[in-house]
């Protein structure tokens, strides 16, 4: 601190950084802008490498993929052109001419390999032409557009019939466009929503704009860094959404904590520099602790050992660290440079409300039951949360599938028409078999027996012959067994179980040394759900342990750490219960625009847990720091609880409103996994910032009393600093 505020103790790092930034504002601001620009530039130059099926393969899927790679199979990507009547029965003669037109146009393209003969559907109401995309399968999307143009030209030439192109590449292209539009929508809406909330919180345009600008710059920088990281760990389709969601939440919150504390200190009569340094010592320190807590929680996703979770964890960690760095470096510089201009221009009426002093009567009234009858209040509120959590016991996990995708996308409507007419074009079980070098003939006979058993099973689609492809050395056999129902159906699960546990072991498994594996969408979905069920307990255990260590070290109070863990577990369980109530039932379908699949997306519980656990630390560290600060000033625990919560109520409410607003936007997006994520996070934060922080936390701390602050001998400081001005010392180190 400056002048009489100087102490004999060395100021904490956040104060030293803030002091330098405040004394050299243009250097700090320029350095931040250069950092953000470099991150964006590097990201644009290297591009983002995205995950594909090969990256995510594990278990039997990985075994199958290794067979394919080792045997050197050339598996070109393929597309299908579906020809149907717009209404009524199909004119077979007209459809045949259209099919020949399709074959002629496609055969003339250099991007096309083989083109099949037109295949009639079993009911005779559709024709299908299969088209191979020439070249490497992994870059097939780069050669897709000429095929789409050819299909569009056929449709224009034959408007009486419906001509549609459906395939893996065209589906991915359409879905990527839809997801990109969703992301743009979320970004477009989240900014004005956040700005409005900040205007209400501060009552001044500049003060409201600072957190939004910092959050946006942190998100932009993290996007660039994420593109760089994707060269090592490919990014999933949800990584960008995760960066935006987490970045806007923590970026705004951290700035909000800092700016509100600086404003509060100026209101006490401190100079701008002293106010910035005091904010750095209190809110700045809490931001660093909170940031590390969020990073630790997000790192829990690494335990799942899944490329999708790993990419989301990396993106989240990058944006959190970027937001923390910005909050303790460029934010003090901006506040020092702006001075009292930070409160300009003022919004009429809103300014008077936000700047109004005095006792927060509403929060005093809310806290009264928790402080007067803490045990009773804790019991009642705890039971209410447990009641919300009970439906989570019936949670069913579904892996993302075609059934989850919005039918508002035209290509999904085409996909439904194609799979209805040709079930074999939908989900398939991809079977791989590797024969021992000395038993190729026996293995071939076993594969033949397997195909005969599949043909005789009603659970498979049979309008096409099962083709068996062999490697050049004759040892590896690949075949696709088409399913007669959707990939996520119970019938598909049953046929997968039959293949893995009955048909393959009894045929190929009878050949000593033969190796087999089943891949495909159904297999991937089932294996993914099993992986999530196995990973979640380990993720929870590791996140709880690391969070306990961080909170214990920060507050030197194990009971505070245990309390924070218990409260976060309670809010997470309640959020799970709400998710089950909303999405495993049908009553909210019209409200949120989705079709219930009877389950929760398999990756969501794990992701929701780590995100909620991390973000909850924002409030917990900030609120408990203020309570500790009040207690260290000489108040008893009950008075300190009241002072700490009422003094932080405004900023916590504003921070929660920002998170709830941003998360709620994701509930309006088109895919059901984004809807579930938005509802789950918004519900969790709403419960956490209201019922947990305003009622359960003070009641629990009231029950514990002075035991909250018990410190084991090993965590006690070895020496006491030289006497200094009591008030300043307490404010500089609010968390002990």
């Amino acid at each position: 601190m400056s002048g009489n505020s100087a102490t004999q103790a060395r100021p904490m790092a956040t104060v030293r950084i803030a002091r330098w930034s405040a004394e050299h504002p243009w250097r700090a601001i320029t350095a931040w802008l250069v950092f953000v620009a470099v991150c964006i530039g590097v990201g644009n130059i290297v591009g983002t490498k995205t995950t594909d099926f090969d990256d995510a393969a594990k278990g039997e899927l990985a075994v199958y993929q290794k067979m394919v790679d080792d045997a050197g199979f050339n598996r070109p990507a393929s597309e299908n052109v579906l020809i149907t009547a717009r209404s009524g029965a199909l004119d077979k003669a007209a459809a045949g001419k259209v099919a020949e037109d399709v074959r002629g146009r496609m055969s003339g393209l250099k991007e096309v390999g083989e083109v099949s003969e037109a295949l009639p559907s079993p009911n005779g109401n559709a024709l299908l032409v299969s088209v191979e995309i020439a070249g490497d399968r992994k870059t097939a999307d780069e050669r897709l557009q000429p095929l789409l143009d050819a299909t569009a030209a056929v449709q224009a030439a034959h408007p009486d019939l419906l001509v549609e192109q459906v395939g893996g590449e065209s589906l991915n292209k359409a879905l990527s466009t839809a997801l990109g539009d969703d992301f743009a929508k979320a970004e477009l809406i989240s900014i004005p929503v956040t700005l409005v909330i900040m205007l209400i919180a501060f009552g001044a345009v500049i003060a409201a704009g600072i957190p939004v600008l910092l959050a946006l710059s942190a998100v932009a920088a993290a996007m660039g860094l994420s593109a760089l990281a994707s060269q090592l760990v490919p990014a999933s389709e949800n990584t960008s959404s995760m960066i935006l969601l987490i970045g806007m939440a923590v970026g705004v919150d951290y700035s909000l904590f800092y700016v509100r504390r600086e404003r509060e200190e100026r209101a006490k009569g401190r100079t701008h520099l002293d106010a910035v340094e005091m904010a750095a010592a209190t809110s700045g320190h809490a931001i660093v602790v909170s940031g590390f807590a969020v990073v630790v929680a997000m790192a829990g996703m690494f335990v799942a050992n899944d490329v999708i979770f790993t990419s989301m964890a990396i993106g989240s960690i990058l944006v959190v660290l970027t937001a923390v760095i910005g909050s303790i470096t460029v934010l003090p510089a901006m506040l020092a440079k702006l001075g009292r201009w930070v409160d300009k221009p003022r919004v009429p009426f809103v300014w008077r409300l936000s700047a109004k002093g005095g006792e927060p009567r509403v929060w005093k009234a809310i806290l009264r039951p928790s402080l007067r009858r803490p045990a009773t209040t804790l019991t009642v509120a705890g039971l209410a949360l447990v009641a919300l959590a009970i439906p989570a016991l019936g949670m069913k996990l579904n892996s993302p599938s075609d059934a989850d995708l919005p039918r508002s996308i035209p290509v999904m409507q085409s996909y439904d028409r194609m799979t209805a007419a040709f079930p074999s074009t939908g989900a398939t079980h991809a079977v791989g078999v590797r024969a021992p070098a000395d038993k190729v003939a026996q293995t071939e006979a076993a594969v033949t027996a397997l195909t005969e058993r599949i043909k005789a099973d009603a659970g498979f689609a049979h309008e096409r012959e099962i083709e068996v492809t062999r490697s050049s050395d004759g040892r590896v056999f690949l075949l696709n067994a088409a399913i007669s129902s959707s990939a996520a159906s119970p019938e598909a699960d049953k046929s997968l179980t039959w293949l893995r546990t009955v048909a393959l072991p009894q045929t190929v498994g009878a050949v000593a040394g033969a190796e087999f594996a089943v891949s495909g969408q159904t297999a991937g979905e089932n294996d993914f759900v099993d992986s999530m069920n196995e990973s979640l307990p380990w993720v929870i255990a590791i996140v709880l342990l690391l969070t306990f260590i961080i909170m214990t070290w920060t507050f030197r109070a194990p009971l505070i750490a245990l309390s924070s863990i218990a409260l976060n577990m309670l809010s997470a369980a309640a959020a799970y219960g709400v998710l089950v109530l909303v999405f495993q039932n049908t009553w909210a379908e019209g409200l949120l625009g989705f079709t219930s699949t009877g389950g929760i997306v398999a990756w969501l519980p794990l992701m929701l847990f780590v995100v909620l656990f991390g973000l909850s630390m924002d409030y917990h560290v900030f609120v408990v720091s203020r309570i500790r600060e009040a207690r260290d000033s000489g108040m008893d625990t009950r008075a300190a609880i009241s002072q700490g919560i009422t003094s932080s109520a405004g900023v916590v409410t504003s921070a929660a409103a920002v998170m709830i607003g941003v998360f709620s936007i994701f509930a309006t997006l088109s895919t059901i996994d984004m809807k579930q994520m938005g509802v789950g996070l918004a519900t969790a934060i709403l419960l956490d910032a209201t019922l947990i922080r305003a009622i359960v936390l003070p009641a629990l701390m009231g029950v514990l009393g002075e035991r909250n602050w018990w410190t084991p001998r090993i965590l006690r400081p070895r020496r006491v600093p030289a006497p200094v001005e009591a008030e300043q010392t307490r404010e500089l180190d609010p968390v002990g």
Side-chain angles (χ1 to χ4, degrees):
M1 301 293 293
S2 59
N4 295 332
S5 299
T7 68
Q8 295 180 9
R10 179 177 172 82
M12 62 179 64
T14 54
V15 176
R16 298 197 301 272
I17 294 170
R19 178 182 297 155
W20 183 89
S21 296
E23 291 174 348
H24 308 86
W26 286 120
R27 293 185 188 179
I29 293 171
T30 301
W32 176 254
L33 293 176
V34 169
F35 168 72
V36 173
V38 168
C39 290
I40 295 173
V42 171
N44 287 334
I45 291 172
V46 301
T48 300
K49 182 181 178 183
T50 56
T51 57
D52 57 24
F53 181 82
D54 295 354
D55 297 318
K58 292 193 299 184
E60 282 200 36
L61 276 68
V63 173
Y64 175 89
Q65 190 59 44
K66 191 172 188 308
M67 289 183 189
V68 172
D69 293 340
D70 290 349
F73 281 105
N74 178 24
R75 299 177 300 147
S78 64
E79 291 284 302
N80 298 295
V81 179
L82 178 69
I83 303 165
T84 57
R86 292 191 177 274
S87 62
L90 180 69
D91 183 335
K92 295 180 175 56
K97 292 179 180 179
V98 174
E100 287 306 311
D101 192 6
V102 170
R103 297 185 72 249
R105 291 176 188 265
M106 292 295 184
S107 299
L109 298 175
K110 67 178 185 300
E111 293 84 2
V112 170
E114 293 186 11
V115 180
S116 74
E117 296 288 339
L119 176 69
S121 64
N123 62 11
N125 285 329
L127 286 180
L128 192 74
V129 178
S130 297
V131 183
E132 289 184 355
I133 302 178
D136 188 353
R137 183 186 189 94
K138 292 186 176 181
T139 59
D141 61 318
E142 300 173 4
R143 300 180 297 281
L144 174 66
Q145 192 58 48
L147 281 73
L148 293 173
D149 294 340
T151 302
V154 174
Q155 176 65 90
H158 305 277
D160 293 339
L161 296 177
L162 192 60
V163 184
E164 304 167 285
Q165 181 172 323
V166 188
E169 300 305 322
S170 53
L171 278 168
N172 288 337
K173 179 181 176 65
L175 292 174
S176 295
T177 301
L179 291 173
D181 292 342
D182 272 359
F183 180 77
K185 174 184 174 182
E187 187 176 32
L188 184 64
I189 298 176
S190 65
I191 295 172
V193 167
T194 303
L195 189 57
V196 168
I197 295 172
M198 290 295 95
L199 283 172
I200 295 172
F202 288 110
V205 175
I206 294 178
I210 288 174
V212 178
L213 287 174
L214 184 64
L216 288 174
S217 62
V219 168
M223 290 284 190
L225 293 172
S226 175
L228 192 61
S230 73
Q231 307 307 310
L232 299 175
V233 179
S236 72
E237 62 185 16
N238 291 325
T239 301
S240 295
S241 297
M242 193 75 167
I243 291 174
L244 175 63
L245 186 148
I246 300 298
M248 289 302 296
V250 301
V252 170
D253 278 10
Y254 294 162
S255 302
L256 179 61
F257 295 161
Y258 208 109
V259 175
R260 284 292 288 262
R261 187 56 187 254
E262 187 269 349
R263 202 184 198 190
E264 182 181 322
E265 296 302 327
R266 278 195 291 113
K268 295 178 181 178
R270 296 188 186 276
T271 65
H272 292 299
L273 183 58
D274 283 352
V276 167
E277 291 186 359
M278 187 58 66
T282 52
S283 293
H285 181 67
I287 287 168
V288 173
V289 173
S290 172
F292 277 108
V294 177
V295 166
V296 164
M298 296 301 174
M301 286 191 277
F302 291 132
V303 179
N305 192 29
D306 182 89
V307 68
I308 295 175
F309 281 105
T310 299
S311 68
M312 288 197 292
I314 291 173
S316 302
I317 290 171
L318 287 173
V319 77
V320 170
L321 291 178
T322 304
V324 169
I325 293 170
S327 298
I328 64 175
T329 57
V330 71
L331 187 55
M334 295 173 69
L335 293 175
K337 190 65 181 175
L338 287 168
R340 294 193 179 278
W341 277 97
V342 76
D343 293 329
K344 308 286 184 179
R346 297 173 180 176
V347 180
F349 180 70
V350 177
W351 166 258
R352 290 195 298 273
L353 290 177
S354 65
K356 184 174 65 175
E359 287 287 313
R361 296 178 182 177
V362 174
W363 283 97
K364 288 279 189 182
I366 293 173
L367 281 173
R368 193 172 294 122
S370 297
L371 297 178
R372 288 185 177 179
R373 296 180 179 83
T376 302
T377 304
L378 180 62
T379 301
V380 173
L383 288 175
L385 287 167
V386 169
L388 275 178
I390 287 175
L393 297 175
M395 181 183 291
K396 299 177 182 178
L397 298 184
N398 292 335
S399 184
S401 69
D402 296 332
D404 301 334
L405 299 173
R407 264 45 193 178
S408 58
I409 303 175
V411 73
M412 293 310 304
Q413 299 171 18
S414 302
Y415 175 81
D416 288 341
R417 282 189 284 269
M418 181 181 72
T419 54
F422 298 91
S424 63
T425 59
T428 62
H429 298 311
V431 181
V433 175
R434 190 198 305 270
D438 58 341
K439 296 181 179 178
V440 174
Q442 296 95 313
T443 305
E444 181 180 6
V447 170
T448 300
L450 174 65
T451 59
E452 292 303 319
R453 295 190 66 170
I454 293 173
K455 290 177 182 179
D457 193 294
F460 295 87
H462 302 301
E463 75 265 13
R464 288 181 174 182
E465 286 294 322
I466 298 176
E467 293 185 7
V468 178
T469 306
R470 295 182 66 170
S471 60
S472 56
D473 63 1
R475 291 184 54 196
V476 177
F477 303 79
L478 299 183
L479 62 96
N480 287 332
I483 308 168
S484 58
S485 54
S486 67
S489 67
E491 293 79 12
D493 294 339
K494 182 179 178 181
S495 63
L496 173 67
T497 302
W498 177 78
L499 270 178
R500 284 179 166 177
T501 62
V502 179
L504 277 162
Q506 291 180 359
T507 54
V508 178
V511 180
E515 184 181 14
F516 60 83
V518 182
S519 183
Q521 186 176 347
T522 304
E525 291 170 5
N526 279 265
D527 292 353
F528 184 77
V529 171
D530 291 342
S531 176
M532 291 303 96
N533 287 329
E534 292 173 4
S535 299
L536 187 58
W538 288 102
V539 171
I540 291 175
I542 290 174
V543 171
L544 293 183
L545 176 62
L546 294 178
T547 302
F548 175 78
I549 293 172
I550 289 178
M551 296 298 288
T552 301
W553 183 257
T554 299
F555 291 101
R556 304 293 196 270
L559 286 180
I560 291 292
L562 288 174
S563 298
S564 67
I565 288 173
L567 296 181
N568 285 347
M569 288 290 289
L570 196 56
S571 60
Y576 287 163
V578 172
L579 271 179
V580 171
L581 287 173
V582 173
F583 289 99
Q584 285 189 197
N585 297 288
T586 59
W587 63 269
E589 288 182 334
L591 182 65
L592 295 175
F594 71 95
T595 300
S596 176
T597 58
I600 305 301
V601 178
W603 57 264
L604 188 65
L606 188 153
M607 192 281 299
L608 179 63
F609 176 81
V610 298
V611 172
L612 173 61
F613 226 85
L615 296 183
S616 293
M617 290 300 105
D618 278 353
Y619 310 129
H620 202 82
V621 170
F622 186 74
V623 173
V624 176
S625 294
R626 296 302 293 260
I627 295 172
R628 179 67 175 266
E629 189 177 347
R631 180 185 176 275
D632 287 350
S633 69
M635 295 183 182
D636 60 29
T637 296
R638 178 176 170 178
I641 293 171
S642 178
Q643 173 65 23
I645 291 181
T646 55
S647 64
S648 62
V651 67
V652 168
T653 302
S654 301
V658 169
M659 286 195 186
I660 293 168
V662 172
F663 296 156
S664 297
I665 292 168
F666 281 78
T668 68
L669 302 186
S670 58
T671 58
I672 196 169
D673 53 352
M674 289 294 103
K675 289 181 183 293
Q676 291 182 357
M677 182 170 71
V679 170
L681 288 174
T683 301
I685 295 300
L686 178 62
L687 292 172
D688 198 68
T690 53
L691 194 57
I692 294 289
R693 303 301 162 205
I695 297 177
V696 180
L697 173 63
L700 179 58
M701 294 188 76
V703 169
L704 293 174
E706 289 301 312
R707 287 168 291 185
N708 283 291
W709 317 112
W710 172 74
T711 303
R713 184 179 299 275
I714 193 173
L715 295 176
R716 294 172 188 169
R718 295 183 179 179
R719 63 184 179 84
V720 178
V724 293
E725 294 180 76
E727 180 183 355
Q728 297 299 332
T729 301
R730 284 190 295 270
E731 290 181 334
L732 280 172
D733 193 7
V735 294

